Amino acid sequence: MTEVRLRIVTEAGAKVPDGLRIFLSRDPELRGIGRARWASTAPKEGQLGDALDILTLVVTGSLALPSAIEAVKRWCGSRGMAEGVEIRLGSQRITVNGTEDPAEIRRMAYLLKAAYPESGPGEAE
């Protein structure tokens, strides 16, 4: 089974609250298709790195993307956040703020799927 690794940060690029990781870990709809964890990014050669843990949501494949986006949307909506969170897959980025309708979630999933390499697991940059 291939996996898709989504990176999640705030719109401003900061670390999202740990409450999102807990929410995603407990979400009954995501239990069978994904898991959330903190991942530190390794610095590139010759650089110090950002020393920031990024929330990574690993889902079972590109078909799980709409469910993953919906779960993040529910968390944002429940928090009443003015600022959304950014989900990254490869070079694609979407912003979820908790107000998206089903058609918008499908569009966002389509954008992320465009970054999903059909030949193997996806890795966020």
Side-chain angles (χ1 to χ4, degrees), residues 18-48:
D18 193 47
L20 177 56
R21 182 195 57 81
I22 294 167
F23 181 88
L24 294 173
S25 298
R26 294 179 179 169
D27 187 275
E29 292 180 30
L30 278 183
R31 281 198 187 122
I33 62 167
R35 64 187 184 281
R37 63 181 175 83
W38 292 112
S40 295
T41 55
K44 295 178 182 174
E45 190 174 328
Q47 295 181 353
L48 294 175

Side-chain angles (χ1 to χ4, degrees), residues 27-120:
D27 187 275
E29 292 180 30
L30 278 183
R31 281 198 187 122
I33 62 167
R35 64 187 184 281
R37 63 181 175 83
W38 292 112
S40 295
T41 55
K44 295 178 182 174
E45 190 174 328
Q47 295 181 353
L48 294 175
D50 58 15
L52 179 68
D53 288 335
I54 303 290
L55 182 61
T56 302
L57 178 58
V58 181
V59 294
T60 56
S62 63
L63 294 177
L65 290 173
S67 296
I69 296 167
E70 176 63 34
V72 172
K73 171 200 167 236
R74 284 194 306 274
W75 180 80
C76 290
S78 71
R79 302 266 308 182
M81 293 178 58
E83 178 184 34
V85 296
E86 184 178 86
I87 300 175
R88 302 174 186 174
L89 175 60
S91 62
Q92 294 295 329
R93 298 167 187 234
I94 61 168
T95 300
V96 179
N97 61 28
T99 61
E100 293 78 15
D101 63 24
E104 180 65 8
I105 289 175
R106 285 191 301 274
R107 186 191 70 76
M108 291 174 155
Y110 177 78
L111 289 173
L112 289 180
K113 283 180 189 180
Y116 180 75
E118 295 300 327
S119 60

